[in-house]
Amino acid sequence: EVQLVESGGALVQPGGSLRLSCAVAGFKFDDYSLHWVRQAPGKGLEWVSLITWNGGNTYYADSVEGRFTISRDNSKNYLYLQMNSLRIEDTALYFCAKDCCETSMVNNYLDVWGKGTTVTVSS
Amino acid sequence: EVVLTQSPATLSLSPGERATLSCRASQSVSSYLAWYQQKPGQAPRLLIYDASNRATGIPARFSGSGSGTEFTLTISSLEPEDFAVYYCQQGSNWPPVTFGQGTRLEIK
């Protein structure tokens, strides 16, 4: 069964840091690009970041560029999101998601999602 | 950045009725558009990709159409489990990947 499980969400003060993890199982991990998407309470979906299948390229939303870093460990089947200089507006449920369809490329469709991990930024 | 505008914001229909949801892009995305369904407390589920291709396991009552800047998701005959929030998403002109603001499909 294809499965993505996020962890690492917590309550953190503004300016603080957090690292999210996403454990992946059920497909050949290093064949697919991976995304982080977030959803603020009661709001819509916001794409955060993407890392290509081999980790060679990363992309970010302007709202997190320079503060967040996406990475992956293809030997452990893990995806990460290092979040620094956190702001109140980063409060959200963070999902990791698998890029769809074709291997070893970016398709930008998200066909398998985790259940999410909650990040709350508050003093 | 490509802005996706979904309409209506809320759609009130009864089971068995036909639902038509719209998504308009601020610039052409060719056919690089997807639709997702999200129920309360759940992650989104991919329904349609490349504007008209159903994802694995998606019932045939869901169909997508359109290209360029105008797209439509149609649910031919609503089942009780179809009442949810629906998002469109483009992956053509990126980064960033962008989502629409969502359409809430509620029971009338």
Side-chain angles (χ1 to χ4, degrees):
Chain A
E1 180 190 3
V2 178
Q3 199 171 16
L4 289 79
V5 180
E6 304 90 340
S7 61
L11 171 62
V12 61
Q13 291 188 336
S17 297
L18 211 54
R19 188 175 87 152
L20 306 184
S21 300
C22 175
V24 173
F27 62 91
K28 194 172 186 300
F29 184 77
D30 54 5
D31 270 355
Y32 293 94
S33 301
L34 295 166
H35 301 256
W36 286 100
V37 175
R38 68 185 181 183
Q39 188 168 35
K43 302 297 184 182
L45 302 169
E46 180 188 15
W47 177 81
V48 172
S49 184
L50 173 142
I51 187 166
T52 53
W53 62 98
N54 58 1
N57 293 93
T58 58
Y59 304 88
Y60 300 93
D62 286 348
S63 58
V64 306
E65 179 86 56
R67 300 188 298 122
F68 290 11
T69 302
I70 190 171
S71 62
R72 64 191 294 162
D73 186 334
N74 284 358
S75 68
K76 296 182 178 178
N77 286 13
Y78 266 83
L79 171 71
Y80 303 102
L81 186 68
Q82 178 66 43
M83 310 165 67
N84 297 332
S85 303
L86 281 161
R87 304 168 180 168
I88 291 174
E89 55 265 34
D90 294 320
T91 294
L93 181 63
Y94 283 75
F95 298 100
C96 60
K98 171 184 165 290
D99 195 65
C100 167
C101 309
E102 301 289 336
T103 60
S104 303
M105 64 180 292
V106 176
N107 301 278
N108 276 333
Y109 299 128
L110 290 66
D111 66 342
V112 185
W113 297 62
K115 294 183 178 181
T117 188
T118 298
V119 173
T120 303
V121 185
S122 175
S123 55
Chain B
E1 172 176 326
V2 176
V3 176
L4 299 177
T5 303
Q6 293 186 239
S7 61
T10 303
L11 185 58
S12 300
L13 294 170
S14 301
E17 291 192 293
R18 181 184 187 90
T20 303
L21 287 67
S22 296
C23 177
R24 174 175 291 178
S26 60
Q27 60 187 273
S28 176
V29 298
S30 186
S31 295
Y32 293 104
L33 189 107
W35 290 93
Y36 299 83
Q37 177 194 67
Q38 188 178 31
K39 297 179 181 179
Q42 296 186 16
R45 177 173 70 145
L46 178 66
L47 301 174
I48 302 287
Y49 66 96
D50 284 346
S52 61
N53 293 328
R54 272 190 302 277
T56 303
I58 301 305
R61 64 181 181 274
F62 291 91
S63 63
S65 63
S67 65
T69 62
E70 300 284 344
F71 300 88
T72 301
L73 173 70
T74 301
I75 310 171
S76 59
S77 179
L78 285 165
E79 298 288 341
E81 62 267 26
D82 297 337
F83 292 91
V85 179
Y86 291 83
Y87 295 94
C88 58
Q89 173 250 317
Q90 69 83 26
S92 175
N93 303 325
W94 72 285
V97 171
T98 53
F99 291 88
Q101 82 281 14
T103 289
R104 181 178 303 277
L105 179 56
E106 64 177 25
I107 299 176
K108 187 173 182 179

